[in-house]
Amino acid sequence: MSIRNKEPIINVGLIEDVPEISFELLGEFHLENIVLKPGAYRVFCEGELLCLTIADGARIHRASSLQLLPSVPESALFTLHEVKIGKLFHWERSLVQKFKGALHLMMPSPGHIIAINSIKLETYLASVISSEMSPENRIEFLKAHCICSRSWLLNQLGRKDTEQTAGHKADYTAAEVISWTGREAHRDFDVCADDHCQRYQGLGRINAAAEEAMKETRGQVLVHNGEICDARYSKCCGGITEKFSVAWDDTPVPYLESTADAQVPSPPLMSEGDARQFIMSRPSAYCNIEDKTVIKKILPDFDCETKDFFRWRIDLPQEELRALLLSKTGVDFGEIRALVPLERGPSGRLFKMNVCGSQQEKIIGKELEIRRILSPTHLLSSAFIVEPYGSAGEVPAGFTLHGAGWGHGVGLCQIGAAGMAEQGKTCEEILSHYFKGAHLTTLY
Ligand SMILES: [Zn+2]
Ligand SMILES: [Zn+2]
């Protein structure tokens, strides 16, 4: 990989696949040689072309793509309406968001508009750390997150178009369905603005602390063997972080091995008995934060709606589960007799599970696919213990899942890292705890 030595401009996909977009320019922009005054605008599809109008309907321009450039790059802003966040997760909603930089509108196929924001990497990062977590966090945490997010992004950009981004799609005609997502290389931009890549919810959330974290770590990344690290992160590991191959392909990634997310080291979970004991208890961990005022301070407001994430439980009644599996996989399993854990990673996350129905039986993995099929959105994690209840012969009335953690658990545990900072740990201590063997370098 070529190590960059200049702050890149990145292209972030803000909205995809919509027939029209309303936006407001908060400063002067230009489009080719047309000057666009501050105000409300609308863009929609007209055959093969995009049509730009002002809000009252007067037409301004028609073209296959529209590149709106701020006349004064450092001060002009724009707002977009109806930006979806948390797509397919339980926190999905639409927001009005404010952005800096250029706005590029394009139509990859008729009727489908994409809005892309071209922005300097560092400005983007200040927004990412304020969207992923609360900017009210301790500065040492914000700095660690900034370095982690910067590393992940530059690693992804460096490997764009190589086969490593390919995932493995689920095929429910097979007896064994093992699927994982690649970073399905976005074709028309570098990263999307949602949880699939990193949350980027515009400038509205940035505060002075987030700006300071961005400035103090400018250009800093984690490296391992001369390469920028693929620094993954997720919300809450549940007490032990997970290794890369439980969520993605089998390539070993030395700095993404499992570690106890606690002051005292503890061994990885090896057996079903270990997993049960760990998940059914509340072990001491950086991400086991009981104090609700601390949680409120470290999480963004919409994440605070997820109350129990270190340990959680849900009930899946028989009929509901059967319908859910049918809608998510297209397979009618019949009556579900058992959900059998087959293989777990060191954090207790299942990456192979057997769904035994009266009509069909299939082995399913990896962790995200298991989470996807057992919930109308996604289960918080695949680290769960299954308890059947109300057995009538071979068919239980339903299943209770007792779970641990939120997200894939690989790399940095966001809540654990925020907890470490609350306990006075430094940015360097946080990063070396989650990314063992990686070190820091400054690119630009
Ligand atoms: Zn994405
Ligand atoms: Zn954790």
Side-chain angles (χ1 to χ4, degrees), residues 386-399:
V386 184
E387 301 271 19
Y389 61 82
S391 231
E394 280 190 320
V395 183
F399 300 86

Side-chain angles (χ1 to χ4, degrees), residues 235-241 261 285-288 310 413 415-416 434:
K235 217 91 237 178
C236 173
C237 71
I240 301 176
T241 71
D261 195 15
Y286 290 124
C287 54
N288 180 4
F310 185 73
C413 169
I415 291 170
Y434 293 108

Side-chain angles (χ1 to χ4, degrees), residues 13 20 46 65 71 100 113 130 188 195 358 366 376 395 407 425:
E20 68 165 88
E46 213 172 57
S65 86
S71 303
K100 191 191 246 184
I113 309 180
S130 312
D188 301 301
D195 294 84
S358 56
K366 294 185 174 184
V395 183
K425 299 276 193 283

